[in-house]
Structures are given as C-alpha cells and as structure tokens.
Amino acid sequence: MVQKNMLSPRPWFRLFLAVVTAGVAFECSIPAHAADPQASPATLVRTVVAKEAAAARNSSAKHMFLGRKETARGSQTKIYVQTTEAMAGLLIANDDKPVSAQQLQDESAHLERLATNRDELHHKQKQEREDAEHALRIVEALPDAFVYEFDGIEPSREGVGRVGDELVRLKFRPRPHYTPPSHVEQVLLGMEGYLLIDKNACRLAKIEGTLFREVSFGWGILGHLDKGGSFVVEQADVGDGTWDVTRMKLNFSGKIMMVKNLAIKSEETLRDFRRVPDDLTFAKGIELLKTEQARLQRGDSGLATANVSSARR
C-alpha cells in the first residue's frame, strides 16, 4: 500500500542516499542573520528542494556503509552497499551480537539467489524505484505544503550537515488551503515541525515533523495515522563531497483499511561511509560485502558491537 511505503524508513533512505552534489549548480542565497527582512524562507526552501530533487535524479556516486536499526523487537546491524541494480545488505549482528556462522551463510545464500534470479532482482529494483518516487513527491511538495519562518541559526554537528557549517532553522506549519495532488502527499496536511538547512552547502541537513491531528487516507477508507506520530531524517556530508542519510527515526500508529493496526517505531543510524565504484553491479556488491564482513571479523571480533555503540545518539 502507498501509505506503508511512504512511512517505512526505506523511501527516505533510498531518496537521500541518491542525493549527491556533483554536477548540480544552484545559487543558495541564505542571509547571514535569520531576521533579515529581505529573506524569504519560502524561496530558500524551494531552492534547496530543487537542488535535492535534481541531484536525486542525476546521482551516480555509490557507497558502502554500516547501518544499525532498532525496533521493539531488538536491533539489527547490517553492511550495505549501493549498486547500479539495487541495494545489497548483509546482516552481521542481532542485538549487537555477531550472527552465527550458519546465519551468515544463510544471508549470503539469499543474496546469491537474488543475483542469479533476475525476476526477483527486478522486483526489488521496482520496489526501490517506487519507494523513491513516493518519497521524492513528498520532498517536492514541501515548498507548497507549508508556511515557513526563520527560527535561528545553529552549528552543524556530526551526522547533521557539513562539519564547520552553520545551519538555518526554519519552523513550518501547514499552508491554509493546500490541496495534495494525491494521497501520497496527504500526510503533510496534519504535520508541523522544522527544517535545518546547511547555509553553505545549500542542503537539507534535517527535517523533523509531528502530526498535530489525525490524518486520513482515501476519505478514511484506506486508513488513518494517529495524532502524535513523528519522524526525523538527518543527513550529512560523508566526507567525499556527497551527502547521505545518517539517521532516521519513525514513530507512527494508526489503521489500514479500517481494521488492521499500523504501528511503526524504529530508529536507524548509518555510518562509516566509503566510496565504491560507480558502476558496481549487484553481484560484485555481494563480493564486497563478504570481503568487508571478513575484514571486520579479522580486525576485531567485537567490531559490530563497537561500531553500533559509538553510532548511538
């Protein structure tokens, strides 16, 4: 269902992982002082969103990185790699404890099946593409869906923005009479929160939103999201001039088709980004994952736990 795709971590993840700065030229005019009367928060947001969207559609940079996702059922740590075909991930720890040799073998076998079964791989590609399209539609709706106002300046920090840059804080609330073009953007009707924009890089460093009222989908027939639901997405320059998501936190509840309860509560932290070849295939990506897992295991048997612990906020 669309609403499930929209609220899972994957769409935001795939969208922002696709965003790079290379080859995209935009003028980001941000005042030195938030109170500048000549400044237009709406124009600033529109400029930043245009850059994010254009870069997402013209990305080529690929990375390998470590991700830890925590839910009510516990935590999982994976090594991920971006490829030209789809994202590949290898589970290396459950609840901060390394997986068994059998679990690792099963994980590797699953990836190998994906690489050789073109139908399954194409299905994965299709799902990733649809998720990214939904997320991009949400991001592109930001300038029209909300009213913005300056709320100060704050320094960047690890995982949020680019080290040493200043971040412009903008509060947002729904724009009166905004009409969503589809039910994908409908969640924005009941949301308020703030953005952090890197004033030098002209990039979106953070967005945090909260539902201040219940939001229905399809006149309530498809379902609804409860008041109080929230999300946080942070991204940063990962050290090579490209920007990637570094943290996502989701907390939503509601109902689907009026009968099935919806409960999404998770937090995912991403770190240790390293460039891989831009033309990396899925099969070659699997080889890199196995090599990286072996390297981590040789270097320090407790590395997965150590990395995850240091990535917590």
Side-chain angles (χ1 to χ4, degrees):
M1 290 186 181
V2 171
Q3 61 264 43
K4 179 179 179 182
N5 287 340
M6 181 178 62
L7 296 176
S8 75
R10 295 298 96 193
W12 291 98
F13 180 54
R14 291 177 184 132
L15 169 65
F16 285 108
L17 285 180
V19 174
V20 293
T21 58
V24 184
F26 282 89
E27 186 81 24
C28 193
S29 179
I30 304 177
H33 302 289
D36 187 338
Q38 301 302 317
S40 170
T43 299
L44 171 57
V45 171
R46 197 171 297 278
T47 301
V48 171
V49 166
K51 182 171 183 178
E52 298 283 357
R57 293 189 175 100
N58 295 280
S59 63
S60 60
K62 305 289 187 294
H63 292 90
M64 177 184 289
F65 52 93
L66 188 71
R68 179 185 187 272
K69 182 179 180 180
E70 186 166 5
T71 68
R73 295 187 297 273
S75 70
Q76 288 190 328
T77 303
K78 290 185 176 184
I79 310 170
Y80 291 100
V81 66
Q82 300 163 319
T83 78
T84 57
E85 296 166 286
M87 182 79 71
L90 182 66
L91 179 68
I92 61 172
N94 282 313
D95 295 327
D96 301 336
K97 297 177 181 178
V99 299
S100 66
Q102 183 60 54
Q103 287 176 305
L104 190 61
Q105 183 177 335
D106 291 344
E107 283 282 307
S108 298
H110 172 69
L111 286 173
E112 296 289 354
R113 284 195 300 272
L114 267 180
T116 56
N117 188 321
R118 305 309 297 179
D119 287 340
E120 285 192 33
L121 188 56
H122 287 159
H123 177 75
K124 180 176 172 62
Q125 287 176 315
K126 182 175 181 291
Q127 187 63 61
E128 290 184 2
R129 185 166 54 249
E130 290 176 353
D131 288 348
E133 288 172 356
H134 288 157
L136 185 54
R137 286 169 62 177
I138 292 289
V139 172
E140 289 183 318
L142 294 179
D144 297 321
F146 299 113
V147 175
Y148 297 89
E149 62 179 293
F150 284 110
D151 194 36
I153 299 286
E154 60 185 73
S156 61
R157 55 184 172 82
E158 185 177 357
V160 182
R162 186 167 58 192
V163 176
D165 285 357
E166 287 187 330
L167 307 178
V168 177
R169 182 182 173 106
L170 300 178
K171 293 192 298 185
F172 63 81
R173 64 184 187 278
R175 183 182 298 279
H177 311 304
Y178 168 71
T179 302
S182 76
H183 53 280
V184 172
E185 298 89 350
Q186 215 163 345
V187 68
L188 302 178
L189 291 175
M191 187 164 288
E192 61 186 9
Y194 72 93
L195 307 174
L196 290 180
I197 293 174
D198 189 306
K199 60 178 293 186
N200 292 330
C202 195
R203 302 304 301 264
L204 183 62
K206 181 176 181 177
I207 178 171
E208 180 168 339
T210 301
L211 291 176
F212 62 86
R213 65 174 178 83
E214 180 182 294
V215 175
S216 297
F217 295 92
W219 299 280
I221 298 174
L222 292 180
H224 73 266
L225 296 176
D226 294 332
K227 176 182 177 180
S230 63
F231 77 95
V232 178
V233 179
E234 298 174 349
Q235 68 169 3
D237 185 327
V238 296
D240 61 356
T242 61
W243 284 60
D244 282 295
V245 164
T246 55
R247 177 175 171 253
M248 293 166 293
K249 186 175 182 179
L250 301 172
N251 185 10
F252 288 98
S253 63
K255 283 189 179 295
I256 299 175
M257 302 302 290
M258 297 301 295
V259 293
K260 184 177 180 181
N261 288 330
L262 172 69
I264 301 172
K265 188 172 184 178
S266 66
E267 182 168 5
E268 190 164 10
T269 304
L270 312 170
R271 66 190 299 271
D272 293 349
F273 290 86
R274 284 185 290 156
R275 283 291 290 269
V276 295
D278 294 347
D279 59 353
L280 187 70
T281 65
F282 194 82
K284 290 294 185 181
I286 294 173
E287 294 179 15
L288 278 184
L289 290 177
K290 292 179 178 179
T291 300
E292 179 67 6
Q293 186 278 329
R295 186 188 71 81
L296 293 176
Q297 191 174 48
R298 286 195 309 269
D300 183 349
S301 61
L303 186 57
T305 301
N307 277 344
V308 167
S309 298
S310 63
R312 289 176 181 157
R313 295 180 185 276

